[in-house]
Amino acid sequence: MQFPHIDPVFFHLGPLAFRWYGLMYIIGFLSAYFIIRAGAKHRGVPLTKDDVSDLVFMVALGIILGGRTGYVLFYNLSDYLAHPLKVFAVWEGGMSFHGGLLGAILGGALFVRKKKLNFLQMLDIGFMTAPIGLGLGRIGNFINGELYGRVTTVPWGIIFPDPRAGGMPRHPSQLYEAFLEGPVMYLCLWGIGRLKPPAGTVFWSFLGLYGLFRFTVEFFREPDYQLGFIVGSLSMGQLLSLPMLLVGGGMVWWTVRRG
């Protein structure tokens, strides 16, 4: 299958170019606003509309700053040390989920501390929104023709336009991740939340599930060209996701047992 020609820019306004990938971020943050409002109301957390807006802003800022910092440190440090000004060239791409995760938690923690709320309870509410942003973000990766998979012979293999793809059919690993990290993840977290588990269970479940899904899909995804495999046949994404799987799964067991 040939890669469907999709212009990464969906709208031009003079010199400004509006990209699908950026639109996915905007939709994700807007969805987060409404989901957090509903979750706070359901759990009796005293948050006004302005409070929710402030929380989403803090988390969004943490995701962007943390995601960029994580990519620089984990995936391409030598290049950025040689060309430090490229750190600010965010239009060239380069965001790390794991760095964005830490940034989101830090941004949320600052807000929770200011409002004197239950941190674990707010993590549960906030991370119910994560699957929407993750799923949309992976669709944005597919539209950009980036982060594609390894060479394959499956009938749905896609020939991506990137010259580095070599004109060979490859797994559409972005869509695998979009499906697992999006609707599958959301249904799992929703089901866990319906059981009314102890505070923190939804968040730890998110960590464990993301670690599992990302670690698995990385076997079908082409490693980053500047890094290749890090340890044996394991990529950087797998090395960063394995602790999430172990810590998340262990904390779910401990939290439920203790609760």
Side-chain angles (χ1 to χ4, degrees), residues 131 175-186 213-214 216-217:
L175 300 183
Y176 301 169
E177 288 194 72
F179 176 68
L180 291 174
E181 298 170 9
V184 173
M185 175 85 77
Y186 185 85
F213 294 156
R214 177 72 181 270
T216 302
V217 174

Side-chain angles (χ1 to χ4, degrees), residues 49-167:
K49 294 180 180 180
D50 290 340
D51 289 337
V52 177
S53 298
D54 292 342
L55 173 58
V56 172
F57 173 78
M58 292 290 291
V59 170
L61 185 62
I63 289 173
I64 294 171
L65 294 179
R68 186 60 171 173
T69 303
Y71 182 80
V72 171
L73 295 178
F74 299 146
Y75 289 94
N76 214 357
L77 181 59
S78 59
D79 185 52
Y80 287 106
L81 288 176
H83 308 91
L85 291 180
K86 288 181 64 177
V87 171
F88 304 102
V90 293
W91 56 87
E92 295 181 358
M95 295 287 283
S96 162
F97 163 79
H98 299 89
L101 172 66
L102 294 177
I105 293 174
L106 178 59
L110 293 175
F111 174 86
V112 167
R113 181 180 180 183
K114 179 181 177 181
K115 293 294 182 178
K116 298 180 180 180
L117 302 172
N118 184 306
F119 184 52
L120 288 176
Q121 185 183 49
M122 289 305 300
L123 282 176
D124 286 348
I125 295 173
F127 275 87
M128 277 300 302
T129 72
I132 297 176
L134 286 171
L136 291 173
R138 295 308 180 190
I139 293 175
N141 293 144
F142 180 79
I143 292 174
N144 288 343
E146 60 190 6
L147 305 183
Y148 42 75
R150 305 182 192 183
V151 175
T152 182
T153 58
V154 299
W156 57 87
I158 294 178
I159 300 176
F160 288 89
D162 188 339
R164 295 176 298 182

Side-chain angles (χ1 to χ4, degrees), residues 189-197:
L189 298 183
W190 178 81
I192 292 169
R194 292 275 292 178
L195 299 175
K196 298 182 179 179

